[in-house]
């Protein structure tokens, strides 16, 4: 996931030098991978086709991981030795749901809660005002 976010250009410590004075200070920035997402590079976010390649790679990786975890979850649930089929299925469903929910939404949670910047939200204030209405006091970020 971290490699995917670097390839897609989402992790850019240069955009927030207050938090990350140097690129190396960011815990998830991998310069050797992120260089491919810079303007003019192979996976430039402004390109039409090549910017989608990291997304497709991420999706394929998630599908492979989910397939592998499906086998692990079944094996773990068998070891639990449930008395009924319903208890077995409930346990398996819980394991798979928690894994796949984590796997699917960890990138969004990272972007929403870790990379959030009030300054960048302030630049988007006209859009937020249009969506939330001009009376919303939470939008006064400047």
């Amino acid at each position: 996931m971290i490699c995917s976010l670097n390839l897609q250009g989402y992790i850019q410590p240069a955009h927030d030098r207050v938090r990350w004075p140097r690129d190396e200070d960011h815990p998830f920035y991998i310069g050797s991978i992120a260089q491919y997402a810079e303007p003019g590079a192979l996976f430039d976010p402004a390109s039409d086709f090549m910017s989608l390649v990291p997304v497709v790679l991420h999706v394929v990786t998630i599908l492979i991981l989910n397939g592998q975890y499906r086998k692990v979850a079944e094996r773990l649930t068998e070891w639990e030795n449930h008395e009924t089929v319903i208890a077995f299925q409930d346990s398996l469903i819980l394991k798979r749901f928690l894994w796949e929910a984590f796997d699917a939404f960890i990138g969004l949670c990272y972007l929403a809660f870790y990379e959030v910047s009030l300054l960048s939200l302030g630049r988007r204030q006209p859009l937020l005002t249009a969506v939330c209405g001009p009376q919303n006091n939470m939008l006064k970020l400047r």
Side-chain angles (χ1 to χ4, degrees), residues 5 7 19 24-25 53 56 99 117 125 129:
L5 291 173
L7 275 177
R19 276 176 78 188
E24 298 81 27
D25 292 337
V53 171
V56 171
W99 169 259
S117 167
Q125 187 169 0
T129 303

Side-chain angles (χ1 to χ4, degrees), residues 15-16 115-125 128 141:
H15 289 175
D16 192 358
E115 284 295 322
V116 68
S117 167
L118 291 180
L119 296 174
S120 68
L121 286 175
R123 288 190 292 265
R124 292 181 181 89
Q125 187 169 0
L128 292 172
L141 300 172

Side-chain angles (χ1 to χ4, degrees), residues 65-79:
L65 286 174
N66 285 345
Q68 294 300 314
Y69 185 71
R70 182 177 302 124
K71 296 173 188 173
V72 170
E74 288 174 1
R75 187 76 184 246
L76 288 173
T77 307
E78 288 172 6
W79 285 350

Side-chain angles (χ1 to χ4, degrees), residues 2 21 29 43 47 54 66-67 70 88 91 93 95 98 102 106 109 114 118 124 128-129:
I2 292 171
Y29 179 75
F43 302 127
S47 73
N66 285 345
R70 182 177 302 124
F88 176 88
S91 180
I93 289 169
K95 285 179 186 66
L98 291 176
F102 172 81
I106 188 66
C109 291
Y114 191 77
L118 291 180
R124 292 181 181 89
L128 292 172
T129 303

Side-chain angles (χ1 to χ4, degrees), residues 5-72:
L5 291 173
N6 275 281
L7 275 177
Q8 294 176 52
Y10 286 118
I11 299 178
Q12 296 181 353
H15 289 175
D16 192 358
R17 285 298 179 204
V18 173
R19 276 176 78 188
W20 318 112
R22 298 175 306 143
D23 288 346
E24 298 81 27
D25 292 337
H26 195 292
F28 301 121
Y29 179 75
I30 304 171
S32 58
I33 295 175
Q35 69 182 353
Y36 296 110
E38 293 176 0
L42 182 62
F43 302 127
D44 181 1
S47 73
D48 292 332
F49 173 72
M50 289 305 287
S51 64
L52 298 176
V53 171
V55 176
V56 171
L57 290 174
H58 183 76
V59 168
V60 169
T61 303
I62 295 299
L63 289 173
I64 291 170
L65 286 174
N66 285 345
Q68 294 300 314
Y69 185 71
R70 182 177 302 124
K71 296 173 188 173
V72 170

Side-chain angles (χ1 to χ4, degrees), residues 77-85 87-89 91-92 95:
T77 307
E78 288 172 6
W79 285 350
E80 292 171 2
N81 198 20
H82 292 280
E83 291 183 15
T84 65
V85 173
F88 176 88
Q89 290 174 343
S91 180
L92 181 61
K95 285 179 186 66

